[in-house]
Amino acid sequence: MVLENAWVIPAIPILSFFLILFFGKRTPKGGSWIGVAAIGAAFLLSVVAVAQWVSLPKTLEVSAYSAGAAHGEDAPAAGAARGEAQENEGHAVVFESAAEGESAAGDTGEGESAEGESEEGHGGAQAIREPVRNTVTWYSNGPIDIEVGTHIDGLAVVMLFVVTLISLAVHVFSTNYMADDVRITHYFAALSLFTAGMLVMVTASTTLLLLFGWEAMGLCSFMLIGHWWEKKENSSAALKAFFTTRTGDIGLLVGISILFFAAGQTFDIATLNEAALTGGISKGVLTIGAIALFAGVVGKSAQFPLHTWLPDAMAGPTPVSALIHAATMVVAGVYLVARVYGVFWEGFSISAGGVNLGAVIGGITILIAALLAFVQTDIKRVLAYSTVSQLGYMVMALCVGAWTAGVFHLFTHAMFKALLFLGSGSVSHAVHTFDMREMGGLRKHMPTTFKTFMIGSIALAGIPPLAGFWSKDEILVGASEGGYPIMLVMGLIGAVMTAAYMTRCVWLTFYGEYRGHGHPHESPKAITVPLIALSVMAIGAGFLNAPGIGLFTDWTDNAVTLTAGVEHHAFSITTALMGTLVALAGIALAAAWYVKNMGPHGITKRNPAARAGYTLLLNRYYLDNLYTGGIVGSIKGPIARAAYWVNQNVIDGVVNAVGIVARRGGDFIYDIVDQRLVDGAVNGSASMAGAGGGFLRTLQTGRVQQYAAILFAATAIFAAVLIFVTI
Amino acid sequence: MILNQFLLLSAVLFCIGVYGVLARRNGVLVLMSVELILNAVNINLIAFGAFHDNIAGQVFALFVIAVAAAEVGVGLAIVLLIYRNRRSVDLTEVDIMKG
């Protein structure tokens, strides 16, 4: 079973990383084929994992947790099976196996009906697939066992599929796009390591392992953004991305530590979720833990106010932007929220409706990023801000209780945003720039790229029946049904703007007259084939969770959301119409402005208010200036002075003291030990040997008869001694 | 059988031989003196062998004669070479091995 041995899937790219690193340069094409082969294998295994997960029987019964039932004040009519389980478990979360035979199935039926009576509003127990776990103890420290392992459920297999698919497409794309790069070996090694990090994170059973994968990705992101580090901007962008996400990671570390102790000194995510949802952890601790974790999410998933690094991260090679900064790594934060959902559900009081921190941050991110996308001239930056905006949707969806919608949007967004980024890479491959002012009219020169880019744009804009429509619609339904009217409005405004800026982007790139230099041409097969594959996904992925099909919901249902009582909202024709209409309105507005040249053009020059707004957008709300000038500038002066003082007085003092002591010691050793003892011994033995030699020299006369005389004399003496001693 | 005469003869021969080795300057005479010493030893061996009615003394004497023949062969060759180089066989002049 692949599901039990899911550790193999991240292990393959790790192996590939080392192979490329050590042997890549000696193989043809810088070892890129090793990476492609490894990711291809991981992708196949992931497909097998999805198939095996889908074919698993539903053996786990979970019902919504209710505080009343836990105290035994409720549910007098609970069925026999449920009663037994309650005695054993001590609370109302029932995990029992229904696959034991006919009688068990009968009991389940009873339990379900009985619960339906006792707990109105939450629905009865629901059968789901049991997560496949495989853990080992890493090390034991006293009573604490630190475990590592894999926890494979619907969310994990979906992520495995997304990550390996996008990564495979990006690898294939890169074999052509990066073919002439001097550091192609390092590039592919880092891609492999990145993929491994992401796969480790999505299969992790503990927050510790999750953090490990998370940071591995951060490192690879840094290496790949700064891949062309010869240019100062690129290395600065890499540093900015690294430091900004690290700022959020402080929160993540704090959160993981808090929740480690709160959940009873265990990093296990399943235990943590259960403890959070069944009252095992106090509300206050959960709130602090959720806010701390959310800081990590804000950094990694580029939420306001730490979103500033993502557009700059476009300095990296375009396939990297597609893989890391659109489809996979930036959704790590969203994945974290979805994975430890119990903590966020209780910590943010998501079921209460109204507003909460996560939903507000998500909503603000949607709007400010979408606005910024209008003033960009770099096609990749448009897509980058679009990504930030869509990440806002995902976070908002999760934080208004639309768990499935958020994860589903993650899934569909990965497909069409990777498609769009690779499309922009194909365009830049042809025209050698990312500046949309030097593009235009490319639909004639690059038909395949144009068609696939168009599909991606329509999917992103949310026009039915493409992928983006279904997931965005689910989010909007979730916001309206979950009691978050403000978020619904934000989501709708965001949808208008999304459709509008994508229309602008497509118009500037592919329509009108060609404004650049040189002769654009269609890209080779290694580039167009991934585009076509992804555009198929961008068209079809949405149907997985279309009304009446609902496969995605079925696959990703899990104990956490069911215990929390997260509801699946039915498809609403009103919301769907509203979403489609605002998207069309956005397209129409943008078309009127750019194509028909209608509207108050030049208003930014005439009206001071409009000019101020435009300048504000051009300067990205002055957030970068605030961070570098305001925060970093005000902090770095005192820190620098303090560091200087410490340097001068403490460190230099220690260094000088060590130096003086060392010099005194050296002097002593030189004068006494070396000069007198050692040299004395050496010279003494030499002069003794010399004197001995001089004495023996006098015996060596060279006259044979003298030797003979000595011989005879000595013999006579020995003989005399012998005789006298014997007698 | 009286042993003393043989031992006295042997002692006299030995002393003459030692004197010759130490005092003579001529290399050939020194070699002859060595022969005297060896023959003094042979007389001793044979005398004690006869005294104890043991054949081993005569066997050893034969060995000594054979070795002495070889020794004098090598010695005469060396003396001959010294003479060729220096036109003299005066041993006091041969001191190039001086330390």
Coordinates of all heavy atoms in Angstrom, one line a residue, chain A residues 697 700-710 712, chain B residues 18 21-22 24 30 37 91-92 94-95 97-99:
Chain A
R697 N 87.4 8.8 19.5 CA 88.2 9.0 18.3 C 89.7 8.7 18.6 O 90.4 8.2 17.7 CB 88.0 10.5 17.9 CG 88.5 10.8 16.6 CD 87.9 12.1 16.2 NE 88.6 12.6 15.0 CZ 89.5 13.6 15.0 NH1 89.8 14.1 16.2 NH2 90.2 13.9 14.0
Q700 N 90.7 5.2 18.0 CA 90.7 4.7 16.7 C 92.0 5.2 15.9 O 91.9 6.2 15.2 CB 89.5 5.3 16.0 CG 89.1 4.7 14.7 CD 88.3 3.4 14.8 OE1 87.9 3.0 15.9 NE2 88.0 2.7 13.8
T701 N 93.1 4.6 16.2 CA 94.4 5.1 15.6 C 94.6 4.6 14.2 O 95.4 5.2 13.5 CB 95.6 4.6 16.4 OG1 95.5 3.2 16.5 CG2 95.6 5.2 17.8
G702 N 93.9 3.5 13.8 CA 94.1 3.0 12.5 C 95.2 2.0 12.4 O 95.5 1.5 11.4
R703 N 95.9 1.8 13.6 CA 97.0 0.9 13.6 C 96.6 -0.5 14.1 O 96.2 -0.6 15.3 CB 98.2 1.5 14.4 CG 98.6 2.8 13.8 CD 99.6 3.5 14.7 NE 100.9 2.8 14.7 CZ 102.0 3.4 15.2 NH1 101.9 4.7 15.7 NH2 103.1 2.8 15.2
V704 N 96.7 -1.5 13.3 CA 96.2 -2.8 13.5 C 96.8 -3.4 14.8 O 96.2 -4.0 15.6 CB 96.4 -3.7 12.3 CG1 95.8 -5.0 12.6 CG2 95.9 -3.0 11.1
Q705 N 98.1 -3.1 14.9 CA 98.8 -3.8 16.0 C 98.4 -3.2 17.4 O 98.4 -3.9 18.4 CB 100.4 -3.7 15.8 CG 100.8 -4.7 14.7 CD 102.2 -4.4 14.2 OE1 102.6 -3.3 14.0 NE2 102.9 -5.5 14.1
Q706 N 98.1 -2.0 17.4 CA 97.6 -1.4 18.6 C 96.2 -2.1 19.0 O 96.0 -2.4 20.2 CB 97.3 0.1 18.4 CG 97.7 0.9 19.7 CD 97.7 2.4 19.3 OE1 96.7 2.9 18.9 NE2 98.9 3.0 19.5
Y707 N 95.4 -2.2 18.0 CA 94.1 -2.9 18.3 C 94.4 -4.3 18.8 O 93.8 -4.8 19.8 CB 93.3 -3.1 17.0 CG 92.9 -1.8 16.3 CD1 92.4 -1.8 15.0 CD2 92.9 -0.6 17.0 CE1 92.0 -0.7 14.4 CE2 92.6 0.6 16.3 CZ 92.1 0.5 15.0 OH 91.8 1.7 14.4
A708 N 95.3 -5.0 18.2 CA 95.6 -6.3 18.7 C 96.2 -6.3 20.1 O 95.8 -7.2 20.9 CB 96.7 -7.0 17.7
A709 N 97.0 -5.3 20.4 CA 97.5 -5.2 21.8 C 96.3 -5.0 22.8 O 96.3 -5.7 23.8 CB 98.4 -4.0 21.9
I710 N 95.4 -4.1 22.4 CA 94.2 -3.9 23.3 C 93.5 -5.2 23.4 O 93.1 -5.6 24.5 CB 93.3 -2.8 22.7 CG1 94.1 -1.5 22.8 CG2 92.0 -2.7 23.5 CD1 93.4 -0.4 22.0
F712 N 94.5 -8.3 23.1 CA 95.2 -9.3 24.0 C 95.2 -8.9 25.4 O 95.0 -9.7 26.3 CB 96.7 -9.5 23.5 CG 96.8 -10.4 22.3 CD1 97.3 -9.9 21.1 CD2 96.3 -11.7 22.4 CE1 97.4 -10.7 20.0 CE2 96.4 -12.5 21.3 CZ 96.9 -12.0 20.1
Chain B
V18 N 102.4 -14.1 20.1 CA 101.8 -12.8 20.5 C 102.9 -11.7 20.3 O 102.6 -10.6 19.8 CB 101.3 -12.9 21.9 CG1 101.0 -11.5 22.5 CG2 100.1 -13.7 22.0
V21 N 103.1 -10.8 16.7 CA 101.9 -10.0 16.2 C 102.0 -8.6 16.6 O 101.8 -7.7 15.9 CB 100.6 -10.7 16.7 CG1 99.5 -9.7 16.5 CG2 100.4 -12.0 16.0
L22 N 102.4 -8.4 17.9 CA 102.4 -7.0 18.4 C 103.7 -6.2 18.1 O 103.6 -5.0 17.8 CB 102.3 -7.1 20.0 CG 101.0 -7.7 20.5 CD1 101.0 -7.5 22.0 CD2 99.8 -7.0 19.9
R24 N 106.4 -7.1 15.6 CA 107.0 -7.1 14.2 C 106.3 -6.0 13.3 O 105.1 -5.8 13.5 CB 106.9 -8.4 13.5 CG 107.5 -9.6 14.3 CD 108.9 -9.4 14.6 NE 109.7 -9.2 13.4 CZ 111.1 -9.3 13.4 NH1 111.7 -9.5 14.5 NH2 111.7 -9.1 12.3
V30 N 103.9 -10.9 10.7 CA 102.8 -10.9 11.6 C 101.9 -12.1 11.3 O 101.4 -12.8 12.2 CB 102.0 -9.6 11.4 CG1 100.7 -9.6 12.1 CG2 102.9 -8.4 12.0
I37 N 100.5 -18.8 16.9 CA 99.4 -18.8 17.9 C 98.4 -19.9 17.6 O 98.1 -20.7 18.6 CB 98.7 -17.4 17.9 CG1 99.6 -16.3 18.4 CG2 97.4 -17.5 18.8 CD1 99.0 -14.9 18.2
L91 N 103.5 -2.4 8.6 CA 102.2 -2.2 9.1 C 102.0 -0.9 9.9 O 100.9 -0.3 10.0 CB 101.8 -3.4 10.0 CG 101.5 -4.7 9.3 CD1 101.1 -5.7 10.3 CD2 100.5 -4.5 8.2
T92 N 103.1 -0.3 10.4 CA 102.9 1.0 11.1 C 102.5 2.1 10.2 O 102.0 3.1 10.6 CB 104.2 1.3 11.9 OG1 105.3 1.3 11.0 CG2 104.5 0.4 13.0
V94 N 100.4 1.8 7.7 CA 99.1 1.6 7.2 C 98.1 2.1 8.3 O 97.6 1.3 9.2 CB 98.8 0.1 6.9 CG1 97.5 -0.1 6.3 CG2 99.9 -0.4 6.0
D95 N 97.8 3.4 8.3 CA 96.9 3.9 9.3 C 95.8 4.8 8.7 O 95.4 5.8 9.3 CB 97.7 4.6 10.4 CG 98.4 5.8 9.9 OD1 98.5 5.9 8.6 OD2 98.9 6.6 10.7
M97 N 92.8 4.2 8.3 CA 91.6 4.0 9.0 C 91.5 4.8 10.3 O 90.6 4.7 11.1 CB 91.4 2.5 9.3 CG 91.2 1.6 8.1 SD 89.6 1.9 7.4 CE 88.6 0.9 8.5
K98 N 92.5 5.7 10.5 CA 92.5 6.5 11.7 C 91.3 7.4 11.8 O 90.8 8.0 10.9 CB 93.8 7.5 11.6 CG 94.1 8.2 12.9 CD 95.4 8.9 12.6 CE 96.1 9.5 13.9 NZ 95.4 10.6 14.4
G99 N 90.7 7.4 13.1 CA 89.4 8.1 13.3 C 89.6 9.6 13.5 O 90.7 10.0 13.7

